[in-house]
Amino acid sequence: MQQITPNNPVIRTMGRIDIDVPDRPVWVFPYTQATFRCTGTSVGVRLINRHNYGDSTLGAVIDGVPYRARITENDAETTVMLAEHLPDIEHEVVVYKRQDGEHYLEITGFLIDDQARVLPPAIPAPIRRIEVYGDSVSCGERNEAALYTGKADPDTDLSPYSNSWYSYATITARNLGASANIVAQGGASLLDGIGWFCGPDYVGMESIWDRIEYNPFLGETKPWDFSRYTPQVVVVALGQNDAHPVDFMAADYQGEQSVQWRARYVDFLRTLRGKYLQATIICATTVLQHDASWDQAIDDAVRVVSTGDRNNGIAPDPKVHHFLYSRNGSATPGHPRITEHQEMADELTTFIESLGPAIWD
């Protein structure tokens, strides 16, 4: 087979990608992807899987059909075949990262048949752009475990069932004809020191949001260059994992820790506004079961941002919204499955469309 370099100009990429070494890009976040057309009967990838935990898989959509391949080798260059015995015609290919920062992928090449041709995507790149800051739900974690729809997760490793393609966030983006950067990590809270990711020294979104690489078990962190992607719509889907190890918002809404969390959420929104001066920002949680006090906390924080603070010279920000799903916080005790992600995506799509076409200007 012939190997196509990842920085071949006909290949279109999406996501926060580490391109310090242009012909060996590193994919970190879920839904990071490469799109191209090719002829021939086979599609594969050469890569190095930098592995922290879980069972790593790689995804593809070829001619509209989903493919999944398990990555069996870690920390050494290996070949992952995504599809073979295809009809020898022209194919539309999207190769994407199914999972979050439980592993990084260093892409060294895309593989096609020896006599095949690689071509640019047939459809132009979207002009609409979305960015999502979230946790495992935004990643699509464990969403393929269909038999557990509406149920708690089983006590076993379900990482092979995590598929970012069917996250509510990415379905919403495709509904709207938008590209999407999914800045999400399973177990991530808003704040460092609580949540589930990288315990016992928990890492929250405040140490992830402005990075490309962020998992301390996989090396040094790297900053993200925000000039590379400017979304018109930003979704902040945080506030569920902050209840671990103590659900302080439910226990004492006016307590010091709760008041501080709401203030830090306000700070986070204002920091995002500093990066994206014109973006519409939508704050939400998900249908995953959690105490309603967290949604009240987000509502209070959004109200502070949207009304501003005249005494301190902070102007009102009318482009920040709080959105609640119809079954917000009450649908499932386990990770939402694909049908529940579709439900969320349909509602979020409708809400974004209700804001009018001007948000994409």
Side-chain angles (χ1 to χ4, degrees):
M1 300 189 74
Q2 62 172 307
Q3 182 164 315
I4 309 300
T5 59
N7 60 338
N8 186 300
V10 306
I11 296 175
R12 180 194 304 154
T13 59
M14 187 172 73
R16 288 191 178 183
I17 299 174
D18 180 353
I19 55 171
D20 281 355
V21 182
D23 60 351
R24 301 178 76 93
V26 179
W27 293 6
V28 175
F29 288 100
Y31 203 57
T32 300
Q33 61 188 248
T35 303
F36 55 91
R37 285 179 297 155
C38 69
T39 58
T41 63
S42 304
V43 177
V45 183
R46 290 284 290 172
L47 56 80
I48 299 171
N49 189 39
R50 303 181 189 173
H51 180 262
N52 179 199
Y53 62 90
D55 195 353
S56 301
T57 59
L58 182 64
V61 176
I62 301 174
D63 302 330
V65 178
Y67 292 82
R68 177 181 73 172
R70 186 166 177 261
I71 304 171
T72 58
E73 299 291 333
N74 296 322
D75 304 315
E77 190 169 14
T78 188
T79 296
V80 177
M81 291 306 301
L82 290 163
E84 298 179 275
H85 310 297
L86 297 168
D88 191 3
I89 59 174
E90 189 175 288
H91 306 286
E92 189 80 27
V93 178
V94 182
V95 180
Y96 70 97
K97 193 169 188 285
R98 286 170 52 99
Q99 297 157 300
D100 60 14
E102 68 184 54
H103 71 125
Y104 297 168
L105 294 176
E106 182 178 344
I107 308 296
T108 59
F110 297 101
L111 302 175
I112 59 176
D113 293 348
D114 284 332
Q115 304 305 315
R117 295 176 295 125
V118 61
L119 304 161
I123 300 174
I127 59 174
R128 293 180 171 186
R129 298 174 299 278
I130 290 176
E131 188 158 77
V132 179
Y133 294 88
D135 54 28
S136 58
V137 182
S138 298
C139 295
E141 189 166 313
R142 307 178 186 183
N143 59 358
E144 289 184 333
L147 291 179
Y148 292 88
T149 301
K151 302 177 183 178
D153 295 338
D155 188 19
T156 188
D157 178 21
L158 287 183
S159 55
Y161 289 87
S162 299
N163 189 350
S164 62
W165 191 267
Y166 296 111
S167 156
Y168 78 90
T170 62
I171 297 172
T172 297
R174 293 194 298 275
N175 285 349
L176 294 167
S179 61
N181 275 13
I182 308 301
V183 186
Q185 170 59 48
S189 54
L190 171 65
L191 305 184
D192 292 340
I194 55 179
W196 294 92
F197 177 55
C198 281
D201 299 319
Y202 301 110
V203 174
M205 188 55 64
E206 63 182 5
S207 289
I208 297 173
W209 78 278
D210 59 351
R211 318 293 165 88
I212 305 177
E213 299 176 18
Y214 58 88
N215 187 332
F217 294 103
L218 291 175
E220 295 183 1
T221 66
K222 287 189 177 183
W224 168 246
D225 178 1
F226 283 86
S227 68
R228 290 174 55 190
Y229 186 83
T230 303
Q232 297 111 332
V233 174
V234 175
V235 177
V236 178
L238 298 164
Q240 299 175 144
N241 290 319
D242 294 80
H244 181 266
V246 177
D247 196 345
F248 54 85
M249 199 67 71
D252 186 359
Y253 192 80
Q254 297 301 335
E256 180 180 358
Q257 194 172 8
S258 297
V259 171
Q260 183 184 35
W261 188 92
R262 295 194 292 273
R264 298 273 282 278
Y265 193 99
V266 168
D267 290 343
F268 184 65
L269 295 182
R270 287 176 172 159
T271 301
L272 284 176
R273 172 60 70 217
K275 294 294 185 182
Y276 304 132
L277 300 180
Q278 301 301 322
T280 295
I281 300 176
I282 300 168
C283 302
T285 52
T286 71
V287 301
L288 181 66
Q289 290 179 8
H290 59 270
D291 192 89
S293 60
W294 290 96
D295 299 303
Q296 182 60 50
I298 292 170
D299 198 64
D300 288 345
V302 168
R303 187 176 299 108
V304 168
V305 175
S306 61
T307 58
D309 185 349
R310 297 184 186 278
N311 293 331
N312 291 300
I314 301 174
D317 191 341
K319 299 183 75 172
V320 177
H321 307 271
H322 183 205
F323 171 69
L324 292 168
Y325 297 97
S326 59
R327 295 199 296 158
N328 206 88
S330 63
T332 176
H335 283 80
R337 314 307 170 190
I338 290 176
T339 55
E340 293 158 327
H341 278 274
Q342 185 67 60
E343 173 189 335
M344 291 172 61
D346 290 344
E347 294 184 16
L348 182 56
T349 299
T350 298
F351 177 74
I352 293 174
E353 289 178 331
S354 75
L355 300 176
I359 64 172
W360 303 107
D361 293 343

